[in-house]
């Protein structure tokens, strides 16, 4: 190992990325297939927010896949957004090298992004068992900042804390994440009428759909009615459509939410394979067990429907609040639309996977 390599590594570990890049450029010039130098170089570029240069380094690895180890290839594909191959290459690298905590951690990120939340839990567990530690603004952290949206990053952090808590204190799984998913719903249901309720509804709407809430000109009740008319006239879901329409016309939104939730859970069984879950897991788990195993948006949607269908627990006390029916119907409508968009998104990813 030559002096330049040692210098580069020392600077890299000291987070002096700009200085490290000068040394790394020399190493890469000497040997274009120096995997360690290329990966360090790409991570330095991510660290200084030069994403184009980072992607150039990563794409070089992808183009010359045969010259590079699987872990480097998987990382390059993950950052370039090629999730399916990224996950299979990282999983393969991990099989070949089971004690590599960093590869286990990146496998968790790829699994999370693919919608395989239970795999993300177990890969984080493996990473921690192999002495991996995740610090803010570590080189690996810049990969996450690039790959995950802000809401996903926070969500992934909750999963990480849950696994850590389970290992250290034997806490029950999914505690932080469950709490984080239910909190915005609790805030909405306990908000005083008026501006604050509107803001919290808008925040929840954003979490459910990734969009901002439509203005007052759009009537949530009417929107929902049109969706249910489509169901009522379909061959397979006519009964659901007619029954739910009846409750909607009576403005019995609790029942509407309950029926929509039942339908979506039924469909979740059908598409469980998209999340590497067994249909039985959907059937046999209560919400407390199921929600933490699902991708963030789907988890939030089902949780909101569950809270709105007046289950006999805490939420009943908070739902005594005076909730604006327009916010409620807009949110229910969005839960309907967003859920199937999300299922579709993961279904496409899974079919590409095979």
């Amino acid at each position: 190992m030559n002096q330049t390599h040692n210098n580069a590594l020392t600077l890299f570990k000291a987070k002096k990325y700009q200085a490290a890049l000068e040394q790394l450029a020399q190493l890469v010039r000497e040997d274009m297939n120096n995997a360690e130098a290329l990966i360090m170089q790409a991570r330095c570029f991510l660290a200084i927010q030069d994403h184009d240069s980072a992607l150039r380094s990563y794409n070089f690895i992808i183009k010359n896949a045969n010259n590079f180890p699987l872990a480097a290839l998987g990382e390059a594909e993950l950052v370039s957004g090629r999730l399916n191959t990224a996950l299979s290459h990282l999983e393969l690298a991990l099989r070949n090298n089971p004690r590599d905590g960093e590869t286990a951690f990146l496998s968790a990120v790829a699994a999370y992004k693919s919608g395989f939340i239970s795999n993300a839990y177990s890969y984080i567990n493996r990473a921690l068992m192999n002495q991996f530690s995740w610090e803010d603004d570590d080189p690996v952290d810049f990969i996450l900042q690039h790959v995950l949206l802000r809401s996903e990053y926070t969500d992934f952090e909750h999963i990480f804390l849950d696994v850590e808590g389970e290992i250290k204190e034997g806490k029950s799984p999914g505690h932080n994440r469950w709490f984080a998913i239910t909190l915005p719903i609790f805030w909405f249901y306990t908000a005083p009428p008026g501006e604050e309720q509107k803001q919290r509804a808008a925040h929840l709407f954003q979490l459910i759909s990734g969009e901002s809430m439509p203005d007052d000109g759009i009537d949530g009740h009417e929107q929902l009615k049109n969706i249910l008319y489509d169901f009522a006239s379909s061959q397979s879901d006519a009964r659901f459509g007619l029954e739910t329409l009846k409750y909607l016309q009576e403005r019995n939104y609790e029942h509407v939410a309950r029926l929509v939730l039942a339908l979506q859970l039924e469909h979740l069984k059908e598409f469980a394979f998209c999340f590497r879950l067994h249909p039985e897991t959907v059937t046999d788990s209560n919400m407390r067990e199921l929600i933490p195993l699902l991708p963030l948006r789907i988890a939030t949607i089902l949780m909101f429907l569950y809270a709105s269908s007046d289950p006999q627990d805490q939420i009943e006390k908070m739902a005594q609040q005076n909730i604006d029916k327009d916010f409620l119907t807009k949110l229910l409508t969005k839960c309907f639309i967003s859920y199937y968009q999300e299922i579709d998104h993961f279904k496409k990813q899974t079919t590409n996977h095979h």
Side-chain angles (χ1 to χ4, degrees):
M1 208 170 281
N2 65 24
Q3 193 51 46
T4 317
H5 185 280
N6 291 341
N7 293 347
L9 197 56
T10 309
L11 290 164
F12 180 71
K13 284 186 171 157
K15 303 187 179 181
K16 297 182 174 158
Y17 299 117
Q18 202 68 60
L21 278 168
E22 289 162 27
Q23 308 284 322
L24 289 164
Q26 191 184 329
L27 288 174
V28 173
R29 270 200 305 278
E30 286 164 12
D31 174 10
M32 287 299 284
N33 296 326
N34 181 336
E36 205 186 332
L38 262 172
I39 284 289
M40 270 200 282
Q41 184 186 52
R43 290 179 179 188
C44 284
F45 282 133
L46 286 178
I48 61 169
Q49 303 283 320
D50 183 351
H51 293 159
D52 292 345
S53 301
L55 287 170
R56 267 201 296 282
S57 303
Y58 281 130
N59 283 328
F60 181 81
I61 295 175
I62 294 169
K63 280 203 188 78
N64 302 281
N66 295 338
N67 302 336
F68 291 100
L70 284 168
L73 180 58
E75 177 180 325
E77 290 165 329
L78 176 62
V79 176
S80 311
R82 305 168 194 225
L83 287 182
N84 300 330
T85 49
L87 185 56
S88 28
H89 286 137
L90 286 164
E91 288 178 327
L92 204 53
L94 198 54
R95 273 207 289 281
N96 300 340
N97 190 358
R99 308 207 59 76
D100 184 345
E102 189 175 270
T103 301
F105 184 71
L106 289 176
S107 300
V109 179
Y112 175 86
K113 207 58 190 161
S114 305
F116 309 143
I117 307 300
S118 58
N119 290 103
Y121 278 101
S122 47
Y123 286 135
I124 289 173
N125 189 304
R126 279 178 71 169
L128 288 168
M129 289 301 197
N130 287 301
Q131 273 51 68
F132 175 82
S133 75
W134 173 24
E135 307 294 335
D136 280 349
D137 290 349
D138 256 10
V140 171
D141 187 51
F142 291 113
I143 296 174
L144 272 70
Q145 291 179 33
H146 178 83
V147 170
L148 302 176
L149 302 169
R150 207 185 158 78
S151 57
E152 293 174 330
Y153 183 94
T154 312
D155 186 42
F156 187 82
E157 216 166 9
H158 289 134
I159 296 177
F160 189 85
L161 291 170
D162 281 333
V163 179
E164 216 172 31
E166 227 179 316
I167 293 173
K168 284 186 184 155
E169 299 144 40
K171 273 202 187 121
S172 69
H175 175 76
N176 286 287
R177 188 171 193 241
W178 165 265
F179 189 64
I181 288 168
T182 37
L183 205 54
I185 298 164
F186 180 80
W187 279 342
F188 167 65
Y189 269 114
T190 52
E195 195 45 45
E196 198 175 336
Q197 198 178 96
K198 186 175 187 169
Q199 277 171 4
R200 290 180 182 186
H203 176 60
L204 196 49
F205 196 92
Q206 179 77 38
L207 291 175
I208 285 169
S209 66
E211 303 159 16
S212 36
M213 197 152 98
D215 57 30
D216 304 340
I218 303 225
D219 182 342
H221 186 93
E222 280 304 303
Q223 258 191 315
L224 195 50
K225 195 165 77 182
N226 293 335
I227 293 177
L228 292 172
Y229 271 132
D230 286 346
F231 270 89
S233 56
S234 84
Q235 230 96 61
S236 50
D237 296 305
R239 193 169 145 231
F240 160 80
L242 291 166
E243 203 180 334
T244 316
L245 259 175
K246 178 172 84 69
Y247 286 119
L248 182 70
Q249 272 145 359
E250 293 166 5
R251 293 195 161 30
N252 183 340
Y253 299 119
E254 281 167 20
H255 252 91
V256 170
R258 191 171 302 151
L259 288 169
V260 174
L261 177 64
L263 180 78
Q264 293 191 347
L265 287 171
E266 198 48 48
H267 287 156
L268 188 63
K269 276 194 310 212
E270 239 173 278
F271 298 119
F273 70 93
C274 299
F275 310 107
R276 288 190 182 171
L277 293 174
H278 293 291
E280 301 81 66
T281 307
V282 180
T283 321
D284 303 342
S285 307
N286 61 35
M287 291 302 264
R288 184 74 184 73
E289 296 158 334
L290 180 63
I291 294 285
L293 299 178
L294 298 170
L296 181 58
R297 196 162 283 170
I298 291 177
T300 308
I301 289 168
L302 293 177
M303 196 59 229
F304 177 71
L305 290 169
Y306 178 62
S308 306
S309 64
D310 183 32
Q312 301 305 307
D313 58 19
Q314 276 319 93
I315 294 170
E316 195 177 355
K317 293 188 194 57
M318 58 193 218
Q320 306 299 341
Q321 283 287 350
N322 185 1
I323 292 294
D324 184 313
K325 294 301 179 258
D326 184 49
F327 299 154
L328 187 58
T329 49
K330 278 181 176 150
L331 284 162
L332 286 172
T333 306
K334 212 43 185 179
C335 282
F336 223 133
I337 299 167
S338 246
Y339 177 78
Y340 292 103
Q341 285 170 341
E342 285 295 289
I343 292 278
D344 227 39
H345 162 74
F346 287 110
K347 212 165 77 183
K348 278 198 190 94
Q349 273 188 186
T350 317
T351 22
N352 295 343
H353 207 95
H354 295 301

